[in-house]
Amino acid sequence: MKKISIVIPAKDEQERLPRFLRVVIDYCHQSSHFYEIIVVDDGSKDQTAQMTLSFQKEFPSLKVISLERNHGKGYAVKQGFLAAQGEIILFLDADGSTGPQEIERHLHWFDQGYDIVIGSRVLRDGKSHVNARVYRKWMGSVFNFLVSHLLIKDIKDTQCGFKMFRALHIADLFGRLYLEGFGFDLEVLYLAQQMGLRIKEVAVNWSHIDGSKIDLFKDSLGMFGNILQIKNWHKGEHLGK
């Protein structure tokens, strides 16, 4: 039996998060593993934190971290990870695009020596289904092509909102992060590869959910810039195991 921490970054999610929290809590209750859930309220202006706290009676291992102002998804995930108590720590997006069922479906990779397990909307295993809009697939393909040629090798999808980590690597990895926004996945995976950590990319079920907080054009441009920044930021660091 493992102790597993689920971190959910959330900003203004009082409408979508309750449904997903119900799914996650029901899943945790049925599992043989011990779970904690940490929702990081990233400066919401609605009732995200209060709504989340209403679930604590039925799931006492639910915590809320409330940030006074909005920092970005990367910062929110980092705060949740640093507060987590599990031996395996992961994050899921608040919209529920990838469900908690993927956790124990892929947990066995840690027993095979991997340090990080990341979801992919590009890989296919015959058991997973991806429901994405055509324009998102096209932009994702262009972005992943640039990432694979300029920054991170052998990973087909760096941005899927499902990533699991061994807890022992969290302080070293997330303690080095500069990026606080959506591009933080790039920096984490780049650092992990430079540190020699074993990363397993796996096919997951993923569905488009309306109400995305991402401005596809603006945030994509920002992440293109992040590709160029990351190597420069970490130039000269000794990142080996």
Side-chain angles (χ1 to χ4, degrees):
M1 188 172 72
K2 291 181 169 61
K3 184 172 183 180
I4 302 169
S5 299
I6 301 173
V7 173
I8 304 175
K11 179 181 183 295
D12 296 330
E13 290 287 2
Q14 69 175 18
E15 299 299 326
R16 297 192 300 180
L17 187 55
R19 177 185 58 82
F20 185 50
L21 268 181
R22 166 60 52 213
V23 171
V24 174
I25 288 172
D26 288 348
Y27 181 82
C28 293
H29 277 149
Q30 295 168 16
S31 174
S32 61
H33 298 287
F34 176 79
Y35 280 91
E36 69 169 349
I37 302 170
I38 301 174
V39 173
V40 184
D41 178 13
D42 189 19
S44 296
K45 297 186 182 304
D46 64 5
Q47 301 298 305
T48 294
Q50 294 87 334
M51 176 278 301
T52 302
L53 288 170
S54 70
F55 284 86
Q56 278 187 326
K57 285 186 178 180
E58 60 179 295
F59 198 80
S61 296
L62 170 64
K63 305 171 186 175
V64 177
I65 297 175
S66 294
L67 306 179
E68 290 187 4
R69 65 178 180 85
N70 175 244
H71 290 266
K73 181 181 177 182
Y75 185 89
V77 169
K78 177 179 177 178
Q79 299 312 305
F81 272 32
L82 293 177
Q85 300 296 310
E87 60 188 283
I88 301 296
I89 305 175
L90 66 116
F91 70 85
L92 294 171
D93 285 343
D95 62 3
S97 52
T98 299
Q101 295 79 10
E102 303 298 335
I103 299 171
E104 290 172 40
R105 184 171 165 236
H106 297 295
L107 205 56
H108 66 93
W109 293 111
F110 291 105
D111 296 328
Q112 297 183 36
Y114 286 94
D115 301 297
I116 302 171
V117 179
I118 67 171
S120 175
R121 297 160 294 184
V122 177
L123 293 181
R124 296 288 183 267
D125 62 0
K127 301 176 183 178
S128 304
H129 177 71
V130 173
N131 175 25
R133 301 293 172 87
V134 173
Y135 66 89
R136 291 183 69 101
K137 288 183 178 180
W138 182 84
M139 290 194 70
S141 296
V142 173
F143 182 76
N144 290 329
F145 175 82
L146 290 174
V147 169
S148 65
H149 282 75
L150 298 175
L151 189 66
I152 300 168
K153 302 296 182 184
D154 303 319
I155 293 179
K156 297 184 180 298
D157 183 4
T158 60
Q159 301 309 121
C160 181
F162 173 79
K163 292 181 174 67
M164 301 194 289
F165 300 76
R166 288 189 191 276
L168 61 89
H169 300 303
I170 295 302
D172 206 16
L173 269 176
F174 283 79
R176 299 176 187 268
L177 290 187
Y178 288 94
L179 291 175
E180 296 186 344
F182 291 110
F184 84 100
D185 305 75
L186 295 171
E187 192 173 11
V188 167
L189 293 175
Y190 173 78
L191 288 169
Q193 285 193 339
Q194 296 304 304
M195 291 167 63
L197 300 183
R198 294 188 66 196
I199 304 170
K200 179 65 180 179
E201 186 175 16
V202 297
V204 295
N205 292 288
W206 188 93
S207 296
H208 172 82
I209 306 294
D210 290 334
S212 173
K213 300 297 189 296
I214 297 177
D215 182 320
L216 198 57
F217 181 74
K218 179 181 177 182
D219 290 320
S220 294
L221 284 179
M223 287 190 287
F224 285 137
N226 294 154
I227 294 173
L228 305 177
Q229 293 172 311
I230 290 169
K231 278 189 177 180
N232 184 57
W233 284 335
H234 298 288
K235 189 183 301 179
E237 289 187 22
H238 299 289
L239 299 175
K241 280 188 174 180

